Amino acid sequence: MTRAPGPTLQHLFSKEKSTRHAILIDPADQTPEMAAKRCVAAVSAGSQMILVGGSTGTDMSNVHNTVVAIKEALELISWAATQNSELNEEEWTIPIVLFPQGSAALSPAADAITFMMLMNSTDPEFLIGEQVRGAPFIKKAGIESLPMGYVVCAPGGRVGQVGAANLIQEDQLDLAAAYAIAAESYGFELLYLEAGSGAHTPVNPNLITAAREACNLVLIVGGGIRDGATARLAAQAGADWIVTGNLTESYDDVDELQQVLTKFINEMNS
Ligand code: 1GP
């Protein structure tokens, strides 16, 4: 039986010339209300996906409350857009996607989940264990699964440690390509190259190009990207999506955040 792609997968795949920006919200780092405000600022600036998750400190409760708060804020603006010709309803219809720490940090209110294999983990828990534990919940909740290969590159940060990853080093271009081909061969739809949240250096652009040239998957890159110029290098190397987490969380003033992200997104595609 062939699986029909759901709306979030179609959104991720839509063939746009430009690289798109996704905001990562870690429910362990902020209240649901603050998360919702930051998401509204990010979507106003042009972000086109909201990822919710973290590598430590998340659970069913903080993930669910955060997803619900973000969803309510975006739905309110979407509704307002139907009453106001100056607002575009479609721009506010942004998927909220779980980017989970594990099977104990999920929410039935999310639109979709990156159903991921941490491909270069040495621990079977991250290859298949957590996935088996979470799958029945995801199916019952009707959350769209986005099959994703998740590959941690140097420096790797906390996720590299927690996930016991055999990090891809910056000169291991053939290895990056091999992971990309393996991800495609598994039937995954997305490939995420991760340098680790707050990484001092992002994924080496040469690794991005090696993965880009080796497969046709939607290519997501994140970790340590804090400015538009760095995002531009990743975009030019072949990333379809750039994810930022720490950058967003460093602003409490949402007007300032909106300005920063608007500049970031423009620069990324300049
Ligand atoms: C982490 O790739 C994401 O999983 C985002 O990283 O927090 O460094 O932006 P930053």
Side-chain angles (χ1 to χ4, degrees), residues 24 99 150 159 192-199 221-226 243-247:
L24 171 64
F99 178 56
Y150 185 52
V159 70
Y192 192 133
L193 298 183
E194 170 74 84
S197 185
V221 176
I225 300 176
R226 298 180 189 84
V243 179
T244 64
N246 273 276
L247 171 69

Side-chain angles (χ1 to χ4, degrees), residues 25-33 35 52-53 57-70 98 100-110 137:
I25 292 290
D26 187 340
D29 291 347
Q30 56 210 303
T31 62
E33 293 69 32
V52 178
T58 56
D59 56 31
M60 289 287 186
S61 165
N62 62 14
V63 169
H64 183 61
N65 293 340
T66 300
V67 170
V68 169
I70 297 169
L98 299 174
Q101 167 185 339
S103 59
L106 305 173
S107 162
F137 176 94

Side-chain angles (χ1 to χ4, degrees), residues 26 47 52 70 98 142 163 169 175 191-192 195-196 198 203 211 217:
D26 187 340
S47 296
V52 178
I70 297 169
L98 299 174
Q169 301 302 322
L175 187 58
L191 180 68
Y192 192 133
V203 176
L217 305 177

Side-chain angles (χ1 to χ4, degrees), residues 12-269:
L12 270 145
F13 259 114
S14 85
K15 287 286 171 210
E16 298 208 3
K17 280 200 194 111
S18 55
T19 298
R20 293 188 279 169
H21 177 257
I23 171 179
L24 171 64
I25 292 290
D26 187 340
D29 291 347
Q30 56 210 303
T31 62
E33 293 69 32
M34 193 64 220
K37 283 184 188 161
R38 286 181 169 137
C39 288
V40 168
V43 175
S44 301
S47 296
Q48 293 185 50
M49 177 162 58
I50 295 163
L51 295 173
V52 178
S55 56
T56 50
T58 56
D59 56 31
M60 289 287 186
S61 165
N62 62 14
V63 169
H64 183 61
N65 293 340
T66 300
V67 170
V68 169
I70 297 169
K71 202 170 177 175
E72 284 177 358
L74 294 185
E75 279 175 0
L76 195 61
I77 301 178
S78 259
W79 179 83
T82 63
Q83 314 292 310
N84 179 347
S85 56
E86 283 178 20
L87 290 171
N88 181 351
E89 188 189 351
E90 256 186 34
E91 279 173 20
W92 292 92
T93 314
I94 299 292
I96 304 171
V97 179
L98 299 174
F99 178 56
Q101 167 185 339
S103 59
L106 305 173
S107 162
D111 297 306
I113 179 167
T114 53
F115 195 82
M116 62 171 108
M117 173 191 284
L118 202 175
M119 296 182 76
N120 54 336
S121 176
T122 55
D123 182 344
E125 277 305 306
F126 296 101
L127 297 167
I128 189 64
E130 287 294 321
Q131 295 80 341
V132 170
R133 259 191 291 286
F137 176 94
I138 293 162
K139 181 153 189 178
K140 190 164 175 221
I143 305 168
E144 183 185 348
S145 268
L146 310 174
M148 181 171 94
Y150 185 52
V151 179
V152 186
C153 305
R158 184 107 184 96
V159 70
Q161 288 165 9
V162 173
N166 223 337
L167 302 177
I168 300 196
Q169 301 302 322
E170 61 177 19
D171 58 350
Q172 292 184 302
L173 306 187
D174 290 346
L175 187 58
Y179 272 109
I181 295 166
E184 197 166 56
S185 304
Y186 262 115
F188 298 156
E189 306 274 8
L190 324 175
L191 180 68
Y192 192 133
L193 298 183
E194 170 74 84
S197 185
H200 53 78
T201 42
V203 176
N204 186 311
N206 294 334
L207 291 180
I208 301 172
T209 302
R212 170 74 296 152
E213 289 174 353
C215 74
N216 253 328
L217 305 177
V218 172
L219 189 53
I220 306 173
V221 176
I225 300 176
R226 298 180 189 84
D227 57 64
T230 309
R232 188 162 174 259
L233 290 177
Q236 287 174 338
D240 295 310
W241 287 86
I242 299 293
V243 179
T244 64
N246 273 276
L247 171 69
T248 316
E249 290 177 358
S250 57
Y251 291 93
D252 287 337
D253 178 331
V254 287
D255 291 332
E256 199 183 354
L257 174 61
Q258 185 178 330
Q259 284 169 21
V260 167
L261 288 179
T262 301
K263 184 167 174 271
F264 180 105
I265 292 168
N266 286 336
E267 217 175 329
M268 176 173 79
N269 283 311

